[in-house]
């Protein structure tokens, strides 16, 4: 307690899914139709401070220095309500959140955002939840956020109800000297949010085929991580990302009838994918992944980073791209501001 305020600050990394979450069995609880596997991205982070303040009459939320937009605010207030429900309190909160990377371009700001919010809010409310309970709670804010709670390489088991759908570490962050270079080729916001994409997924004739293959894909990625087999990981991850996009491109969005399908790629996304395949035919060990956005995530081993960066320098238009270099990152953590730790800054 601090002058009537209960405050906590937490930091989380976004994560890159090797096997993707696309489609929900339960949209209220964000229970997915399939399991997924990801790695936390050390090069990007969200820091969130939460103070429960008896003087407030409503939750006050700022994101990257500005008041949260109505939709984001409603989503954050719903998450605070979950925390208040667990803690048995009704006090309103002040939330300040900053991310050091652009949102809505295919780097999961909602994952790091809801993971940091979950830890900061639950601590500020006096709860001491274990990793599984934090993961369950974060999932309800944004599905992929449950994978930013544990560290390193993470699997989210789809589960069948609220308690059984959670994420855990399958290999620690130092298990494999892997690197991800996230290349934001466009700052255009994605046309359709992942929330709407999940809901539209069932309208694609290819969702059944995707679901049929995903158990095998999960198995291959687990083996690749265990054996540190970059080729197996990379080829599996590329096909997996393209499978999500095949579903998205053939989905109907109920409230956007003018769209025949959802395109998350921009022209530069495809240009870079083709460049990666050409680099590989020249012997460079690098693979791509895509989330629901134009950003291309390049996956390689630490020893190849300089070569991949040099190859990127040759791509026409690359001077407009933002590059974020990550190694496998840790799970969500608390910051002790009183001890001079990281404080939220713009
Ligand atoms: O957690 P959401 O609702 O933002 O969905 C994330 C969806 C993808 O990033 C495309 C895939 C994934 O597994 O992270």
């Amino acid at each position: 307690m601090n002058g009537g305020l209960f405050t906590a600050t937490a930091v989380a990394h976004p994560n890159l899914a090797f096997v993707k979450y696309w489609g929900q069995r339960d949209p209220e609880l964000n229970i997915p139709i399939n399991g997924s596997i990801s790695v936390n991205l050390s090069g990007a982070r969200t820091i969130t401070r939460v103070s429960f303040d008896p003087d407030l009459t409503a939750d006050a939320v700022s994101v990257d220095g500005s008041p949260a937009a109505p939709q984001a605010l409603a989503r954050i207030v719903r998450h605070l309500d979950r925390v208040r429900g667990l803690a048995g309190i009704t006090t309103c909160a002040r939330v300040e959140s900053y991310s050091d990377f652009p949102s809505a371009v295919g780097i999961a700001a909602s994952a790091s955002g809801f993971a940091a919010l979950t830890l900061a809010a639950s601590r500020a409310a006096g709860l001491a939840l274990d990793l599984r309970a934090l993961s369950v709670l974060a999932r309800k804010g944004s599905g992929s956020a449950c994978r930013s709670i544990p560290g390193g390489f993470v699997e989210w088991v789809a589960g069948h109800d609220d308690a059984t759908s959670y994420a855990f570490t399958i290999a620690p962050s130092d298990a494999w000297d892997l690197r991800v270079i996230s290349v934001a080729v466009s700052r255009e916001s994605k046309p359709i949010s992942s929330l709407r994409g999940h809901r539209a997924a069932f309208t694609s004739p290819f969702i059944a085929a995707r679901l049929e293959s995903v158990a095998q894909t999960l198995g291959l990625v687990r083996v690749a991580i265990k054996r540190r087999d970059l080729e197996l990981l990379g080829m599996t991850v590329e096909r997996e990302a393209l499978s999500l996009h095949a579903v998205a491109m053939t989905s109907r969005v109920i409230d956007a009838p003018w769209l025949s399908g959802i395109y998350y790629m921009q022209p530069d996304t495809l240009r870079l994918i083709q460049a990666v395949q050409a680099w590989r035919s020249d012997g460079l060990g690098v693979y791509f992944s895509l989330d629901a956005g134009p950003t291309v995530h390049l996956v390689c081993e630490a020893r190849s980073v300089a070569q991949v960066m040099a190859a990127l320098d040759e791509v026409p238009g690359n001077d407009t791209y933002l590059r974020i270099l990550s190694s496998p990152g840790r799970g969500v953590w608390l910051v002790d501001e009183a001890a001079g730790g990281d404080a939220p800054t713009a």
Side-chain angles (χ1 to χ4, degrees):
M1 186 164 157
N2 168 16
L5 298 176
F6 295 83
T7 298
T9 303
V11 184
H13 296 302
N15 61 77
L16 169 67
F18 292 148
V19 183
K20 314 279 181 187
Y21 150 49
W22 202 242
Q24 299 164 319
R25 177 181 298 180
D26 183 332
E28 279 308 305
L29 295 173
N30 290 340
I31 295 179
I33 53 174
N34 63 273
S36 52
I37 295 179
S38 61
V39 67
N40 286 342
L41 300 177
S42 73
R45 57 185 208 159
T46 299
I47 182 163
T48 301
R49 180 199 284 141
V50 177
S51 305
F52 286 99
D53 181 348
D55 291 339
L56 289 174
T57 52
D59 293 319
V61 179
S62 77
V63 177
D64 295 329
S66 308
Q71 251 186 333
L73 175 67
R75 216 168 149 191
I76 291 167
V77 169
R78 269 204 306 282
H79 205 57
L80 292 169
D81 285 341
R82 292 183 189 107
V83 173
R84 281 187 281 254
L86 283 174
I89 60 170
T90 53
T91 318
C92 292
R94 179 171 296 102
V95 176
E96 296 159 83
S97 185
Y98 294 93
S99 294
D100 63 3
F101 58 98
S103 62
V105 293
I107 305 173
S110 65
S112 50
F114 277 96
L117 178 67
T118 299
L119 180 57
S122 60
R123 273 307 171 99
L127 297 165
L129 304 177
D130 63 18
L131 279 182
R132 178 168 170 171
L134 284 169
S135 179
V136 163
L137 183 54
R139 190 200 72 234
K140 289 182 258 198
S142 175
S144 55
C146 76
R147 295 189 312 238
S148 282
I149 297 287
F153 299 85
V154 171
E155 176 157 357
W156 172 12
V157 281
H160 51 82
D161 61 12
D162 189 31
T164 54
S165 186
Y166 69 101
F168 55 92
T169 297
I170 54 170
S173 51
D174 60 359
W176 191 1
D177 220 3
L178 215 56
R179 295 290 180 273
V180 177
I181 306 166
S182 302
V183 187
V185 297
S186 160
R187 308 290 169 89
E188 291 258 322
S189 282
K190 53 189 171 195
I192 300 289
S193 68
S194 20
L195 210 63
R196 290 167 78 198
H198 287 300
R199 289 177 189 169
F202 297 100
T203 64
S204 166
F206 302 126
I207 191 71
R210 173 171 164 73
L211 272 179
E212 242 171 64
S213 62
V214 89
Q216 192 196 6
T217 309
L218 284 164
L220 291 174
V221 168
R222 278 188 214 111
V223 169
I225 292 171
K226 198 163 170 200
R227 293 193 195 145
R228 290 183 235 148
D229 182 335
L230 182 67
E231 189 181 342
L232 177 62
L233 180 80
M235 292 309 280
T236 311
V237 160
E238 286 196 4
R239 293 195 179 109
E240 161 58 17
L242 293 172
S243 143
L244 184 156
H245 283 259
V247 168
M249 283 192 273
T250 49
S251 293
R252 288 162 200 238
V253 185
I254 311 303
D255 52 352
W258 58 91
L259 292 178
S260 55
I262 312 170
Y263 288 81
Y264 289 114
M265 295 187 202
Q266 292 284 335
D268 282 34
T269 312
L270 193 53
R271 193 201 304 271
L272 198 46
I273 287 175
Q274 289 177 325
V276 169
Q277 295 187 336
W279 299 338
R280 228 169 28 236
S281 75
D282 293 338
L284 186 56
V286 59
Y287 298 83
F288 69 81
S289 182
L290 309 166
D291 278 346
T295 294
V296 182
H297 300 270
L298 302 178
V299 181
C300 65
E301 286 179 319
R303 60 190 163 86
S304 308
V305 167
Q307 259 182 296
V308 174
M309 289 293 193
L312 266 172
D313 288 341
E314 301 302 315
V315 175
N318 80 86
D319 49 331
T320 63
Y321 301 169
L322 172 75
R323 302 179 200 179
I324 298 174
L325 174 62
S326 296
S327 44
R330 60 189 290 198
V332 67
W333 71 98
L334 281 170
V335 173
D336 183 356
E337 290 182 48
D342 294 331
T345 50

